[in-house]
Amino acid sequence: METPFASYEPGHDDGKRRRPGRFRQVPMRLILPNLVTLLALCSGLTGIRMAFEGRWDYAVGAVLIAAVLDAVDGRVARLLKGTSRFGAELDSLADFVNFGVTPALMLYIWLLNEVKSLGWIAALAFAICAALRLARFNAALDDPDKPVWSVNFFTGVPAPAGALTVLLPIYLEFLGVLPHWPEFAPLVALYTVCIGFLMISRLPTFSGKKVGLRVRRDLVLPMFVLAVLVVALTVSYPFEMLTVGTLAYLASIPFALRSYRSYVRSDKTMPKEDGDGDDSETDLDHLGEKGSDDTP
């Protein structure tokens, strides 16, 4: 007797049909990363609900939790060797909702609705930019021309960073820096569109993929203390920490561009092997992206 649900076949995209076994089991290592992704999606959707209810601290917290879970699911998949095509597609769809739709709706409900259609257009532009970035990321996964050092950079601002960055006006209101005046709505709309364009731009940004992969033994205990300190400060002073983190991230973009160009110049000065092309042919065309199970 056939089951009422389609079988879960992660990563089987070779075109061959497989006989559905009645008692065939799927390893938990393939299920756990997708569960983390779904939890992130639930958090992002909850952020929309909190925004409609005017509970902005919880709404921002939901987006932050979604970003943390999104950073975890790829690492869990690699650790358990549970990467799959299904997980990559699910991760992209969840990222669009969590970091494209949710921040756009939050900003519109918060202040952009004061300028009617202009605010809605700004929210639409940000969500569309998030979708375009994710589509470009998926299309560039198999680029064979990326140099080895490109793993240190993203092309444009990644989706989670874009979502947390575009919410900066909300952080500033909670800190008492930005009054909730309708006159500020056009500036917030302009800021929203600018962050959206940074997401689809070809500006290199630091990826941080190699941070924490190897830690010197004498730095392990200080790292634990620093991690606990950051978490404690974020829980106790969330909007202060988010504001500092956002401003620091935006300030790091020029340094990322400078570092990227130094790599390109180093490649140009190195002798090329026979039959190899120039990896730096178009400076910003072959930036590194992450694996299919990571956040774009």
Side-chain angles (χ1 to χ4, degrees):
M1 184 179 69
E2 294 185 359
T3 61
F5 303 106
S7 61
Y8 177 69
E9 298 286 350
H12 291 159
D13 53 359
D14 54 4
K16 297 180 181 179
R17 296 192 61 182
R18 288 168 172 77
R19 296 180 58 186
R22 175 181 291 185
F23 301 108
R24 187 175 181 181
Q25 297 178 344
V26 178
M28 282 300 296
R29 63 182 177 83
L30 294 176
I31 298 177
L32 285 177
N34 297 320
L35 286 178
V36 176
T37 303
L38 290 176
L39 288 175
L41 180 58
C42 292
S43 182
L45 292 172
T46 302
I48 298 177
R49 175 195 169 185
M50 295 296 103
F52 276 115
E53 296 178 358
R55 301 158 71 180
W56 297 107
D57 49 348
Y58 289 101
V60 172
V63 176
L64 180 59
I65 291 174
V68 172
L69 291 175
D70 183 73
V72 168
D73 62 0
R75 288 163 175 79
V76 170
R78 286 195 300 274
L79 180 64
L80 300 178
K81 298 182 179 179
T83 58
S84 65
R85 178 68 181 273
F86 178 90
E89 297 297 334
L90 178 63
D91 186 69
S92 292
L93 293 173
D95 286 349
F96 173 62
V97 175
N98 296 338
F99 311 125
V101 176
T102 297
L105 289 178
M106 286 176 59
L107 287 170
Y108 182 77
I109 298 169
W110 173 67
L111 187 63
L112 292 182
N113 61 82
E114 297 289 348
V115 285
K116 309 295 182 182
S117 297
L118 179 62
W120 182 242
I121 291 172
L124 284 179
F126 179 83
I128 289 173
C129 287
L132 292 175
R133 176 185 168 74
L134 292 167
R136 184 182 67 185
F137 166 79
N138 291 337
L141 285 177
D142 300 324
D143 185 1
D145 299 325
K146 293 185 294 187
V148 176
W149 51 261
S150 64
V151 72
N152 298 316
F153 301 95
F154 292 144
T155 304
V157 174
L164 293 174
T165 301
V166 80
L167 296 177
L168 177 62
I170 297 180
Y171 311 155
L172 295 178
E173 180 186 342
F174 271 86
L175 296 179
V177 177
L178 181 67
H180 194 90
W181 293 345
E183 291 78 11
F184 286 113
L187 292 178
V188 174
L190 179 62
Y191 175 77
T192 302
V193 174
C194 289
I195 298 299
F197 276 112
L198 283 179
M199 293 172 65
I200 61 173
S201 70
R202 303 207 64 84
L203 285 175
T205 56
F206 290 121
S207 70
K209 289 174 62 177
K210 292 187 176 181
V211 175
L213 293 180
R214 294 288 186 273
V215 180
R216 283 168 38 189
R217 291 179 181 272
D218 59 326
L219 296 179
V220 172
L221 294 182
M223 185 194 67
F224 286 156
V225 175
L226 180 62
V228 171
L229 186 62
V230 170
V231 172
L233 287 173
T234 303
V235 172
S236 302
Y237 306 98
F239 294 104
E240 289 84 352
M241 290 294 291
L242 287 170
T243 299
V244 171
T246 297
L247 295 177
Y249 182 79
L250 292 175
S252 73
I253 295 178
F255 295 97
L257 179 59
R258 179 180 178 182
S259 177
Y260 176 83
R261 287 178 172 172
S262 67
Y263 277 112
V264 172
R265 286 193 296 267
S266 299
D267 273 0
K268 288 181 179 179
T269 57
M270 292 177 61
K272 292 182 293 181
E273 297 180 4
D274 293 339
D276 288 345
D278 186 0
D279 285 336
S280 59
E281 181 180 57
T282 54
D283 285 356
L284 298 179
D285 285 345
H286 302 301
L287 286 176
E289 296 285 0
K290 299 186 286 184
S292 60
D293 55 338
D294 279 342
T295 304

